[in-house]
Coordinates of all heavy atoms in Angstrom, one line a residue:
A1381 N -17.9 27.3 3.2 CA -17.4 28.0 4.3 C -18.0 29.4 4.4 O -18.3 29.9 5.5 CB -15.8 28.2 4.2
L1382 N -18.2 30.0 3.3 CA -18.9 31.4 3.2 C -20.3 31.3 3.9 O -20.6 32.0 4.8 CB -19.0 31.9 1.8 CG -19.8 33.2 1.6 CD1 -19.0 34.4 2.2 CD2 -20.2 33.4 0.2
F1383 N -21.1 30.3 3.4 CA -22.5 30.2 3.9 C -22.4 29.7 5.4 O -23.3 30.1 6.2 CB -23.3 29.2 3.1 CG -23.7 29.9 1.8 CD1 -23.4 29.3 0.6 CD2 -24.4 31.1 1.8 CE1 -23.8 29.9 -0.6 CE2 -24.8 31.7 0.6 CZ -24.5 31.1 -0.6
F1384 N -21.5 28.8 5.7 CA -21.4 28.4 7.1 C -21.1 29.6 8.0 O -21.7 29.7 9.1 CB -20.3 27.4 7.3 CG -20.1 26.9 8.7 CD1 -20.9 25.9 9.2 CD2 -19.1 27.3 9.5 CE1 -20.8 25.5 10.5 CE2 -18.9 26.9 10.8 CZ -19.8 25.9 11.3
G1385 N -20.2 30.5 7.6 CA -19.9 31.7 8.4 C -21.1 32.7 8.5 O -21.1 33.5 9.4
Q1386 N -22.0 32.6 7.5 CA -23.1 33.6 7.5 C -24.4 33.0 8.1 O -25.4 33.7 8.2 CB -23.4 34.0 6.1 CG -22.3 34.8 5.5 CD -22.6 35.2 4.0 OE1 -23.5 34.7 3.4 NE2 -21.7 36.0 3.5
T1387 N -24.4 31.7 8.5 CA -25.6 31.1 9.1 C -25.6 31.4 10.5 O -24.6 31.3 11.2 CB -25.5 29.5 8.9 OG1 -25.4 29.3 7.5 CG2 -26.7 28.8 9.5
A1388 N -26.7 31.9 11.0 CA -26.8 32.4 12.4 C -28.2 32.3 12.9 O -29.2 32.2 12.1 CB -26.3 33.8 12.4
P1389 N -28.4 32.4 14.2 CA -29.7 32.4 14.8 C -30.4 33.7 14.3 O -29.8 34.7 14.1 CB -29.5 32.5 16.3 CG -28.1 32.1 16.5 CD -27.3 32.4 15.3
I1390 N -31.7 33.6 14.2 CA -32.5 34.8 13.7 C -33.8 34.8 14.3 O -34.4 33.7 14.6 CB -32.6 34.8 12.1 CG1 -33.2 36.1 11.6 CG2 -33.3 33.6 11.6 CD1 -33.0 36.3 10.1
G1391 N -34.3 36.0 14.6 CA -35.7 36.1 15.3 C -36.7 36.4 14.2 O -36.4 36.8 13.1
W1392 N -38.0 36.1 14.6 CA -39.1 36.4 13.7 C -39.1 37.8 13.2 O -39.5 38.1 12.1 CB -40.4 36.0 14.3 CG -41.5 36.2 13.4 CD1 -42.5 37.2 13.5 CD2 -41.8 35.6 12.1 NE1 -43.3 37.2 12.4 CE2 -42.9 36.2 11.5 CE3 -41.2 34.5 11.5 CZ2 -43.4 35.8 10.3 CZ3 -41.7 34.1 10.2 CH2 -42.8 34.8 9.7
A1393 N -38.8 38.8 14.1 CA -38.8 40.2 13.7 C -38.0 40.5 12.5 O -38.3 41.3 11.6 CB -38.4 41.1 14.9
Q1394 N -36.8 39.8 12.4 CA -35.9 40.0 11.2 C -36.5 39.3 10.0 O -36.2 39.7 8.9 CB -34.5 39.5 11.5 CG -33.8 40.3 12.5 CD -34.0 39.9 14.0 OE1 -34.5 38.8 14.2 NE2 -33.5 40.6 14.9
I1395 N -37.2 38.2 10.2 CA -37.7 37.4 9.1 C -38.9 38.0 8.5 O -39.1 37.9 7.3 CB -38.0 35.9 9.5 CG1 -36.7 35.3 10.1 CG2 -38.6 35.1 8.4 CD1 -37.0 34.0 10.8
E1396 N -39.8 38.5 9.3 CA -41.1 39.0 8.9 C -41.2 39.8 7.6 O -42.0 39.5 6.7 CB -41.8 39.7 10.0 CG -43.3 39.9 9.8 CD -44.0 40.4 11.1 OE1 -43.3 40.9 12.0 OE2 -45.2 40.2 11.1
P1397 N -40.3 40.8 7.4 CA -40.4 41.6 6.2 C -40.1 40.8 4.9 O -40.7 41.0 3.9 CB -39.3 42.7 6.4 CG -39.0 42.7 7.8 CD -39.3 41.4 8.4
F1398 N -39.2 39.8 5.1 CA -38.9 38.9 3.9 C -40.1 38.0 3.6 O -40.4 37.7 2.5 CB -37.6 38.2 4.1 CG -36.4 39.1 4.3 CD1 -36.0 39.5 5.5 CD2 -35.8 39.6 3.2 CE1 -34.9 40.3 5.7 CE2 -34.8 40.5 3.3 CZ -34.3 40.8 4.5
F1399 N -40.7 37.5 4.7 CA -41.9 36.7 4.6 C -43.0 37.4 3.8 O -43.7 36.9 3.0 CB -42.4 36.2 6.0 CG -43.7 35.4 5.9 CD1 -43.7 34.2 5.3 CD2 -44.9 36.0 6.4 CE1 -44.9 33.5 5.3 CE2 -46.1 35.3 6.3 CZ -46.1 34.0 5.8
A1400 N -43.2 38.7 4.2 CA -44.2 39.5 3.5 C -44.0 39.7 2.0 O -44.9 39.8 1.2 CB -44.3 40.9 4.2
R1401 N -42.7 39.6 1.6 CA -42.3 39.7 0.2 C -42.3 38.3 -0.5 O -41.9 38.2 -1.6 CB -41.0 40.4 0.1 CG -41.1 41.9 0.4 CD -39.8 42.6 0.0 NE -38.6 42.2 0.7 CZ -38.1 42.8 1.8 NH1 -38.6 43.9 2.2 NH2 -37.0 42.4 2.4
G1402 N -42.6 37.3 0.3 CA -42.5 35.9 -0.3 C -41.1 35.4 -0.6 O -40.9 34.6 -1.5
Q1403 N -40.2 35.8 0.2 CA -38.8 35.4 0.0 C -38.2 34.5 1.0 O -37.0 34.2 1.1 CB -37.9 36.7 0.0 CG -38.2 37.6 -1.2 CD -37.4 38.9 -1.1 OE1 -37.6 39.7 -0.1 NE2 -36.5 39.1 -2.0
V1404 N -39.1 33.9 1.9 CA -38.6 33.0 2.9 C -38.8 31.5 2.5 O -40.0 31.2 2.3 CB -39.2 33.3 4.3 CG1 -38.8 32.3 5.4 CG2 -38.9 34.7 4.7
I1405 N -37.8 30.8 2.6 CA -37.9 29.3 2.3 C -37.7 28.6 3.6 O -36.8 28.8 4.4 CB -36.7 28.9 1.3 CG1 -36.8 29.6 0.0 CG2 -36.8 27.4 1.1 CD1 -38.0 29.3 -0.9
H1406 N -38.7 27.7 3.9 CA -38.6 26.8 5.0 C -37.8 25.6 4.7 O -38.2 24.9 3.7 CB -40.0 26.4 5.5 CG -40.0 25.5 6.6 ND1 -40.7 24.3 6.6 CD2 -39.5 25.6 7.9 CE1 -40.5 23.7 7.7 NE2 -39.8 24.5 8.5
V1407 N -36.7 25.4 5.4 CA -35.9 24.2 5.1 C -36.1 23.2 6.3 O -36.0 23.5 7.5 CB -34.4 24.6 5.1 CG1 -33.5 23.4 5.0 CG2 -34.1 25.6 4.0
G1408 N -36.6 22.0 5.9 CA -36.9 21.0 6.9 C -35.7 20.6 7.8 O -34.6 20.7 7.4
S1409 N -36.0 20.2 9.0 CA -35.0 19.9 9.9 C -34.1 18.7 9.6 O -33.1 18.5 10.1 CB -35.6 19.6 11.3 OG -36.6 18.6 11.2
S1410 N -34.6 17.9 8.6 CA -33.8 16.7 8.2 C -32.6 17.1 7.3 O -31.7 16.3 7.0 CB -34.6 15.7 7.5 OG -35.1 16.2 6.3
L1411 N -32.6 18.4 6.8 CA -31.6 18.8 5.9 C -30.5 19.7 6.6 O -30.8 20.3 7.6 CB -32.2 19.7 4.7 CG -33.2 19.0 3.9 CD1 -33.8 19.9 2.8 CD2 -32.6 17.7 3.2
D1412 N -29.3 19.7 6.0 CA -28.3 20.6 6.5 C -28.5 22.0 5.8 O -28.4 22.1 4.6 CB -26.9 20.0 6.1 CG -25.8 20.8 6.6 OD1 -25.6 21.9 6.0 OD2 -25.1 20.4 7.5
L1413 N -28.7 23.0 6.6 CA -29.0 24.3 6.1 C -27.9 24.9 5.2 O -28.2 25.5 4.2 CB -29.2 25.3 7.3 CG -29.7 26.7 7.0 CD1 -31.0 26.7 6.2 CD2 -29.9 27.5 8.3
V1414 N -26.6 24.6 5.6 CA -25.5 25.1 4.8 C -25.5 24.4 3.4 O -25.3 25.0 2.4 CB -24.2 25.0 5.5 CG1 -23.0 25.4 4.7 CG2 -24.2 25.9 6.8
E1415 N -25.7 23.1 3.5 CA -25.7 22.3 2.2 C -26.8 22.8 1.3 O -26.6 22.9 0.1 CB -25.9 20.8 2.6 CG -25.9 19.9 1.4 CD -26.1 18.4 1.8 OE1 -25.9 18.1 3.0 OE2 -26.6 17.7 1.0
V1416 N -27.9 23.1 1.9 CA -29.1 23.6 1.0 C -28.7 25.0 0.4 O -28.9 25.2 -0.7 CB -30.4 23.7 1.9 CG1 -31.5 24.4 1.1 CG2 -30.8 22.3 2.3
A1417 N -28.1 25.8 1.2 CA -27.6 27.2 0.7 C -26.7 27.0 -0.4 O -26.8 27.7 -1.5 CB -27.0 28.0 1.8
V1418 N -25.7 26.1 -0.3 CA -24.8 25.9 -1.4 C -25.5 25.4 -2.7 O -25.2 25.8 -3.8 CB -23.7 24.9 -1.0 CG1 -22.8 24.5 -2.2 CG2 -22.8 25.5 0.1
A1419 N -26.4 24.4 -2.5 CA -27.2 23.9 -3.6 C -28.0 25.0 -4.3 O -28.0 25.1 -5.6 CB -28.1 22.8 -3.2
V1420 N -28.6 25.9 -3.6 CA -29.4 27.0 -4.2 C -28.4 27.9 -4.9 O -28.7 28.3 -6.0 CB -30.2 27.7 -3.1 CG1 -30.8 29.0 -3.6 CG2 -31.3 26.8 -2.5
A1421 N -27.3 28.3 -4.3 CA -26.3 29.2 -4.9 C -25.7 28.6 -6.2 O -25.5 29.3 -7.1 CB -25.2 29.5 -3.9
E1422 N -25.6 27.3 -6.2 CA -25.0 26.6 -7.4 C -26.1 26.3 -8.4 O -25.8 25.6 -9.4 CB -24.3 25.4 -7.0 CG -23.0 25.7 -6.2 CD -22.3 24.5 -5.7 OE1 -22.8 23.3 -5.8 OE2 -21.1 24.7 -5.2
D1423 N -27.4 26.6 -8.1 CA -28.5 26.4 -9.0 C -28.6 24.9 -9.3 O -28.9 24.5 -10.4 CB -28.4 27.2 -10.3 CG -29.7 27.3 -11.0 OD1 -30.8 27.2 -10.4 OD2 -29.7 27.5 -12.2
D1424 N -28.5 24.1 -8.3 CA -28.6 22.6 -8.4 C -30.1 22.2 -8.4 O -30.7 21.9 -7.4 CB -27.9 21.9 -7.2 CG -27.7 20.5 -7.4 OD1 -28.6 19.9 -8.1 OD2 -26.8 19.9 -6.8
K1425 N -30.7 22.4 -9.6 CA -32.1 22.1 -9.8 C -32.6 20.8 -9.4 O -33.6 20.6 -8.8 CB -32.5 22.4 -11.2 CG -32.4 23.9 -11.6 CD -32.6 24.0 -13.1 CE -32.6 25.4 -13.6 NZ -31.3 26.1 -13.4
S1426 N -31.8 19.8 -9.6 CA -32.1 18.4 -9.3 C -32.3 18.2 -7.8 O -33.3 17.6 -7.3 CB -31.1 17.4 -9.8 OG -31.4 16.1 -9.4
R1427 N -31.3 18.6 -7.0 CA -31.4 18.5 -5.6 C -32.6 19.3 -5.0 O -33.3 18.8 -4.1 CB -30.1 18.9 -4.9 CG -29.0 17.9 -5.2 CD -27.7 18.2 -4.6 NE -27.7 17.9 -3.2 CZ -26.9 18.3 -2.3 NH1 -25.9 19.1 -2.7 NH2 -26.9 17.9 -1.0
V1428 N -32.7 20.5 -5.4 CA -33.7 21.4 -4.9 C -35.1 20.8 -5.3 O -36.0 20.8 -4.5 CB -33.6 22.8 -5.5 CG1 -34.8 23.7 -5.1 CG2 -32.3 23.5 -4.9
A1429 N -35.3 20.3 -6.5 CA -36.5 19.6 -6.9 C -36.8 18.4 -6.0 O -38.0 18.2 -5.6 CB -36.5 19.2 -8.4
D1430 N -35.8 17.6 -5.7 CA -36.0 16.5 -4.8 C -36.5 17.0 -3.4 O -37.4 16.4 -2.8 CB -34.7 15.7 -4.6 CG -34.4 14.9 -5.9 OD1 -35.2 14.7 -6.7 OD2 -33.2 14.4 -5.9
W1431 N -35.9 18.0 -2.9 CA -36.2 18.6 -1.6 C -37.7 19.1 -1.6 O -38.4 19.0 -0.7 CB -35.3 19.6 -1.1 CG -33.9 19.1 -0.8 CD1 -33.6 17.8 -0.3 CD2 -32.6 19.8 -1.0 NE1 -32.2 17.7 -0.2 CE2 -31.6 18.9 -0.6 CE3 -32.3 21.0 -1.4 CZ2 -30.3 19.2 -0.6 CZ3 -31.0 21.4 -1.4 CH2 -30.0 20.5 -1.0
M1432 N -38.0 19.8 -2.7 CA -39.3 20.3 -2.9 C -40.4 19.2 -2.9 O -41.4 19.3 -2.2 CB -39.4 21.2 -4.1 CG -38.7 22.5 -4.0 SD -38.7 23.4 -5.6 CE -40.3 24.1 -5.6
A1433 N -40.1 18.2 -3.6 CA -41.0 17.0 -3.7 C -41.2 16.4 -2.4 O -42.3 15.9 -2.1 CB -40.4 16.0 -4.7
S1434 N -40.2 16.4 -1.5 CA -40.3 15.7 -0.2 C -40.9 16.7 0.8 O -41.2 16.3 1.9 CB -38.9 15.3 0.3 OG -38.1 16.4 0.6
G1435 N -41.1 18.0 0.4 CA -41.7 18.9 1.4 C -40.6 19.6 2.3 O -41.0 20.3 3.2
D1436 N -39.4 19.3 2.1 CA -38.3 19.8 2.9 C -37.8 21.2 2.5 O -36.9 21.7 3.1 CB -37.1 18.8 3.0 CG -37.4 17.7 3.9 OD1 -38.1 17.8 4.9 OD2 -37.0 16.6 3.6
F1437 N -38.3 21.7 1.4 CA -37.8 23.0 0.8 C -39.1 23.6 0.2 O -39.5 23.3 -0.9 CB -36.7 22.7 -0.2 CG -36.1 24.0 -0.8 CD1 -35.0 24.5 -0.3 CD2 -36.7 24.6 -1.9 CE1 -34.4 25.6 -0.8 CE2 -36.2 25.8 -2.4 CZ -35.0 26.3 -1.9
V1438 N -39.7 24.5 0.9 CA -40.9 25.2 0.5 C -41.0 26.6 0.9 O -40.3 27.0 1.9 CB -42.2 24.5 1.0 CG1 -42.3 23.0 0.5 CG2 -42.2 24.5 2.5
L1439 N -41.7 27.4 0.1 CA -42.0 28.8 0.6 C -42.6 28.7 2.0 O -43.5 27.8 2.2 CB -42.9 29.5 -0.3 CG -42.3 30.1 -1.6 CD1 -43.4 30.7 -2.5 CD2 -41.3 31.2 -1.2
L1440 N -42.2 29.5 2.9 CA -42.7 29.4 4.3 C -44.3 29.5 4.3 O -44.8 30.5 3.9 CB -42.1 30.5 5.1 CG -42.5 30.5 6.6 CD1 -42.1 29.2 7.3 CD2 -41.9 31.7 7.3
P1441 N -44.9 28.4 4.7 CA -46.4 28.4 4.8 C -46.9 29.4 5.9 O -46.2 29.5 6.9 CB -46.7 27.0 5.1 CG -45.5 26.2 4.8 CD -44.4 27.1 5.0
T1442 N -48.0 29.9 5.7 CA -48.6 30.9 6.7 C -48.8 30.3 8.1 O -48.5 30.9 9.1 CB -49.9 31.4 6.1 OG1 -49.7 32.0 4.9 CG2 -50.5 32.5 7.1
D1443 N -49.2 29.0 8.1 CA -49.4 28.4 9.4 C -48.1 28.2 10.2 O -48.1 28.5 11.4 CB -50.1 27.0 9.3 CG -49.4 26.0 8.5 OD1 -48.6 26.4 7.6 OD2 -49.6 24.8 8.7
I1444 N -47.0 27.9 9.6 CA -45.7 27.8 10.2 C -45.2 29.3 10.6 O -44.7 29.5 11.7 CB -44.7 27.1 9.4 CG1 -45.1 25.6 9.3 CG2 -43.3 27.2 10.0 CD1 -44.2 24.8 8.4
A1445 N -45.4 30.2 9.7 CA -45.1 31.6 10.0 C -45.8 32.1 11.3 O -45.2 32.7 12.2 CB -45.4 32.5 8.9
R1446 N -47.1 31.8 11.4 CA -47.9 32.2 12.5 C -47.4 31.5 13.8 O -47.2 32.2 14.8 CB -49.4 31.8 12.3 CG -50.4 32.4 13.3 CD -51.8 32.0 12.9 NE -52.2 32.6 11.6 CZ -52.5 31.9 10.5 NH1 -52.6 30.6 10.6 NH2 -52.9 32.5 9.4
H1447 N -47.0 30.2 13.7 CA -46.4 29.5 14.8 C -45.1 30.2 15.3 O -44.9 30.4 16.4 CB -46.3 28.1 14.4 CG -45.5 27.3 15.4 ND1 -45.9 26.9 16.7 CD2 -44.2 26.7 15.3 CE1 -45.0 26.2 17.3 NE2 -44.0 26.1 16.5
W1448 N -44.3 30.5 14.3 CA -43.0 31.1 14.6 C -43.1 32.4 15.2 O -42.4 32.8 16.1 CB -42.1 31.1 13.4 CG -41.5 29.8 13.0 CD1 -41.7 28.6 13.6 CD2 -40.8 29.6 11.8 NE1 -41.0 27.6 12.9 CE2 -40.5 28.2 11.8 CE3 -40.3 30.4 10.7 CZ2 -39.7 27.6 10.7 CZ3 -39.6 29.8 9.7 CH2 -39.3 28.4 9.7
S1449 N -44.1 33.2 14.8 CA -44.3 34.6 15.3 C -44.8 34.6 16.7 O -44.6 35.6 17.4 CB -45.2 35.4 14.4 OG -46.5 34.9 14.5
S1450 N -45.4 33.5 17.2 CA -46.0 33.5 18.5 C -45.3 32.6 19.5 O -45.7 32.4 20.6 CB -47.5 33.1 18.4 OG -47.6 31.7 18.0

Side-chain angles (χ1 to χ4, degrees):
L1382 172 74
F1383 286 122
F1384 180 78
Q1386 294 177 351
T1387 301
I1390 189 168
W1392 178 253
Q1394 291 91 7
I1395 299 167
E1396 192 170 21
F1398 298 97
F1399 174 70
R1401 290 191 294 261
Q1403 295 176 296
V1404 177
I1405 301 292
H1406 178 238
V1407 176
S1409 60
S1410 66
L1411 300 179
D1412 180 289
L1413 186 58
V1414 176
E1415 182 181 335
V1416 172
V1418 171
V1420 171
E1422 293 177 351
D1423 198 26
D1424 189 336
K1425 291 175 178 60
S1426 175
R1427 291 180 78 194
V1428 172
D1430 289 345
W1431 294 328
M1432 289 174 76
S1434 71
D1436 285 324
F1437 184 95
V1438 296
L1439 280 175
L1440 182 61
T1442 304
D1443 59 334
I1444 293 176
R1446 192 175 298 118
H1447 170 69
W1448 287 354
S1449 70
S1450 64

